[in-house]
Amino acid sequence: MVTKKKAIISKKRFKPITIINFKTYEEAIGDNALKLAKICDEVANEYNANIIIAVSSTDIYRISSQVSIPVYAQHIDNVEFGSHTGKVLASAVRQAGATGTLLNHSENRLRVDVLEESVILAKKYGLKTVVCANDAIVGEAVKSFKPDMVAVEPPELIGGNISVSSAKPEIVRESVKKICDHSKNIVLVGAGIKNNNDFKKSVELGASGILLASGITKAKDPKRVLINLIKDIY
Ligand code: G3P
């Protein structure tokens, strides 16, 4: 017989995911990256929020050794150990403390075969994978690689002030419909997300979370903006 306590535990509410991509903004590289990562860590702990940060590979170690939230790489290359000067290895980012990686971001698109190999390597070294796609059709196609999450971001809205959830709600709906079968696949949406309304709308439309960058990295007071973004969500 399932006890009441067990039933309550199994009904644990899904917590929407917030991934903050630091990109290569000056405000989010080196010492600035560490400062921003500590703010994200503080807010995540204070609000019990599901916040992940995706940082430059050169900052993974310095950040992951000082925060408790998951730190992801922004990219890995499809190569193993060997003679690959300048490449970013899945194994190396894992050893530096990353627990996941973005792949195929619209600012770093990959050939399909390269993407598939990169997902395989990421999994081999225990990294969670977030594969980006510019629309629902591509999102559905990359699902075949079995990434942990698919993030759909219309490129034309990236870096702007109008969010995907307000400008193109149909993209969010369509992505959820095409990508989430049997609620196994996690769909994130991103581009132009700046505030609590944008986040709530994305979740109401069926997304499991958001991927954002400039709204936090370029904010004058990132802590205040981040708290405002996630309030009442967690
Ligand atoms: O990776 C997130 C990104 O592409 C969206 O950027 O600045 O529109 O939040 P932004």
Side-chain angles (χ1 to χ4, degrees):
M1 198 179 102
V2 183
T3 63
K4 202 173 172 195
K5 195 175 170 199
K6 271 191 184 156
I8 291 169
I9 292 167
S10 62
K11 274 192 184 161
K12 230 169 141 191
R13 199 169 61 91
F14 173 80
K15 276 184 170 190
I17 299 158
T18 303
I19 302 186
I20 303 168
N21 181 1
F22 283 23
K23 299 196 175 179
T24 47
Y25 287 120
E26 189 176 356
E27 297 83 349
I29 284 286
D31 291 341
N32 290 342
L34 182 58
K35 212 168 132 198
L36 185 58
K38 285 183 172 172
I39 290 173
C40 297
D41 195 40
E42 258 173 54
V43 174
N45 289 322
E46 206 171 309
Y47 289 80
N48 199 19
N50 201 356
I51 297 176
I52 296 168
I53 51 178
V55 309
S56 172
S57 56
T58 45
D59 288 322
I60 292 171
Y61 181 72
R62 102 165 65 200
I63 290 174
S64 65
S65 50
Q66 301 220 33
V67 300
S68 58
I69 52 175
V71 175
Y72 282 15
Q74 292 174 11
H75 169 77
I76 56 160
D77 288 302
N78 61 327
V79 291
E80 277 278 19
F81 301 109
S83 46
H84 304 291
T85 306
K87 296 288 186 184
V88 180
L89 300 185
S91 155
V93 301
R94 185 74 187 97
Q95 290 185 53
T99 54
T101 184
L102 302 184
L103 285 167
N104 198 42
H105 190 277
S106 100
E107 290 148 14
N108 201 349
R109 282 282 187 243
L110 302 176
R111 248 178 27 215
V112 178
D113 57 324
V114 172
L115 175 58
E116 184 173 16
E117 285 166 19
S118 306
V119 173
I120 292 169
L121 278 173
K123 289 183 179 188
K124 176 175 174 188
Y125 289 101
L127 297 169
K128 296 268 183 210
T129 49
V130 182
V131 172
C132 301
N134 56 353
D135 59 24
I137 296 171
V138 176
E140 187 180 24
V142 298
K143 199 171 76 169
S144 62
F145 303 147
K146 299 193 174 25
D148 294 284
M149 302 172 232
V150 175
V152 178
E153 303 192 301
E156 65 282 9
L157 296 176
I158 292 180
N161 283 321
I162 305 167
S163 73
V164 58
S165 47
S166 12
K168 302 207 163 160
E170 66 284 0
I171 291 198
V172 182
R173 267 191 228 105
E174 210 193 331
S175 303
V176 172
K177 202 167 142 202
K178 284 194 187 303
I179 304 165
C180 293
D181 33 36
H182 314 301
S183 59
K184 263 195 317 215
N185 299 305
I186 294 183
V187 176
L188 309 179
V189 290
I193 291 181
K194 295 279 183 292
N195 56 42
N196 191 250
N197 239 359
D198 299 332
F199 196 165
K200 279 190 179 148
K201 225 169 166 182
S202 307
V203 173
E204 276 162 25
L205 290 163
S208 299
I210 54 167
L211 174 59
L212 81 161
S214 54
I216 301 298
T217 55
K218 305 292 279 179
K220 278 209 179 87
D221 183 347
K223 185 167 183 179
R224 190 183 56 77
V225 174
L226 181 55
I227 291 172
N228 174 59
L229 175 82
I230 58 142
K231 69 169 186 238
D232 337 319
I233 305 258
Y234 295 104

